[in-house]
């Protein structure tokens, strides 16, 4: 295997940034610029799971983002009229997150934009190359999941030790800018 000058994480982040900019520009040109990229992903998730009760906890887990971040996002989406929080029949303390009609319409417009973007992204790429791409993405995801599981074990060990060092370690691990 030859030495790599490139960094996988950097290339993924750079591609993610380019994709986000392109999608945001297309959304804006379509006149639905009040939807942020994250709002669009959440709207899609809610749309695809509209036959189920979806709670904030489900959104946190699905997108691997923190509770306070999701709270802020949902509050803003509710203010903009994309979602509502409704009480659940069996437990009034629980609030499910549901799409409004405006949220459904936004999803359908955005989905059309994404479909067109996907087609343009795949230009000049063979089915075989796409298959390899998806295979590699799956392996990268699996590797990151293993690392995440290992970090949880470290966190639990630090919690069990109950010492100040373990507490500092947990803060470092939870810091998105922390690099071991």
């Amino acid at each position: 295997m030859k030495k790599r000058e490139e960094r996988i994480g950097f290339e993924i982040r750079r591609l993610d940034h380019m994709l986000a900019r392109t999608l945001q520009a297309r959304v804006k040109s379509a006149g639905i610029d009040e939807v942020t990229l994250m709002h669009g992903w959440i709207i899609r998730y809610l749309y695809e799971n509209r036959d189920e009760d979806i709670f904030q906890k489900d959104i946190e887990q699905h997108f691997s983002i923190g509770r306070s971040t999701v709270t802020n996002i949902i509050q803003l989406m509710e203010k903009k009229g994309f979602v509502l929080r409704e009480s659940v029949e069996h437990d009034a303390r629980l609030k499910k997150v549901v799409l409004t009609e405006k949220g459904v319409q936004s999803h359908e417009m955005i989905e059309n934009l994404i479909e067109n973007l996907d087609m343009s992204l795949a230009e000049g790429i063979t089915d075989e190359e796409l298959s390899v791409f998806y295979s590699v993405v799956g392996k990268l995801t699996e590797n990151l999941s293993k690392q995440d599981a290992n970090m949880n074990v470290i966190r639990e060990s630090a919690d069990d030790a109950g010492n100040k060092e373990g507490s500092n370690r947990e803060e470092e691990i939870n810091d998105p800018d922390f690099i071991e």
Side-chain angles (χ1 to χ4, degrees), residues 56-90:
Q56 178 172 326
K57 170 183 58 101
D58 300 315
I59 295 169
E60 292 166 14
Q61 291 172 348
H62 183 77
F63 292 100
S64 298
I65 51 180
R67 185 172 158 190
S68 62
T69 302
V70 174
T71 298
N72 292 335
I73 290 170
I74 291 176
Q75 286 174 346
L76 186 56
M77 290 177 72
E78 194 171 25
K79 187 177 177 181
K80 290 182 175 186
F82 296 115
V83 299
L84 292 173
R85 286 185 272 194
E86 296 178 351
S87 296
V88 178
E89 196 173 296
H90 64 277

Side-chain angles (χ1 to χ4, degrees), residues 133-143:
F133 168 76
Y134 287 121
S135 175
V136 170
V137 167
K139 289 177 182 180
L140 290 170
T141 301
E142 187 178 312
N143 290 343

Side-chain angles (χ1 to χ4, degrees), residues 159-174:
D159 288 346
D160 290 343
N163 62 26
K164 188 161 175 63
E165 260 184 62
S167 174
N168 288 340
R169 179 77 177 136
E170 183 176 340
E171 289 174 20
E172 290 174 343
I173 292 169
N174 289 328

